[in-house]
Amino acid sequence: TGFTFECLFTLSSIFKRQLHYKCTAQTFNVQSQMINLTAIAGTHKPDRSNDDIGILIIENKVCHYLPQNMQFLLPNLYHLDIKSSGLKAISRVNMEMFPSLKYLYIRNNSIEFLPKGLFNANRKLQFINLTDNKTKYVAPNVFDGLSELISLSVERNVCVDDYAVQDEGIHRLQSDVAVRCTETYEHS
């Protein structure tokens, strides 16, 4: 099944360093898996195209699952923010669509499970925020190999409620997640 969503395209400056091309979803309705993204609608800024989109914001829309083929229409996405949209699951295959991802914010959704190998294709991740989900189970070593990670937030979830910054804190939080969330995962 083909799917199109509409964006409000803006140029924004972060810390006044450079302009970032952002797509804020105006329409978005994905309630089942196996939906293919076929187009992004909306009026681009002059001299801009889908290839320039670095930031995708989906907030207060219906996004129970990520559509397939997003990488073909958003090839340079480095910032994904899905907030209060009912996201039920993210998979390794979903995350493989975004190899350049540095910022992942999935807040106030319904993700109960973080599967094995989830971030294997996302070695550039610097910020992960999974706050206010319903996470109960985390596969072992799900955050391993993220050597550029600066901040990890898993606050207000079922099995863990914490955040950390920098190496030492992140390693402590990874160990805490392994103790609190993996045992349940292994017995499920």
Side-chain angles (χ1 to χ4, degrees), residues 49-100:
S49 71
N50 290 348
D51 288 349
D52 298 308
I53 299 169
I55 302 171
L56 174 60
I57 309 291
I58 303 168
E59 184 172 353
N60 295 317
K61 305 297 178 211
V62 177
C63 179
H64 294 174
Y65 301 94
L66 287 174
Q68 297 176 340
N69 300 321
M70 292 179 76
Q71 72 274 25
F72 300 118
L73 295 170
L74 299 162
N76 296 306
L77 195 71
Y78 58 84
H79 182 131
L80 178 60
D81 190 337
I82 303 172
K83 181 179 180 184
S84 303
S85 295
L87 188 65
K88 295 179 180 184
I90 52 174
S91 69
R92 180 185 51 77
V93 171
N94 292 147
M95 295 308 298
E96 286 173 349
M97 293 188 289
F98 313 114
S100 298

Side-chain angles (χ1 to χ4, degrees), residues 128-169:
I128 299 175
N129 187 331
L130 301 170
T131 297
D132 289 317
N133 280 285
K134 298 173 180 164
T135 307
K136 299 177 186 175
Y137 317 113
V138 178
N141 308 317
V142 77
F143 301 110
D144 285 3
L146 299 176
S147 61
E148 296 185 31
L149 197 58
I150 296 169
S151 174
L152 175 60
S153 179
V154 287
E155 295 173 276
R156 294 181 297 280
N157 281 285
V158 174
C159 69
V160 64
D161 179 4
D162 204 351
Y163 74 95
V165 294
Q166 304 302 333
D167 292 340
E168 190 172 307

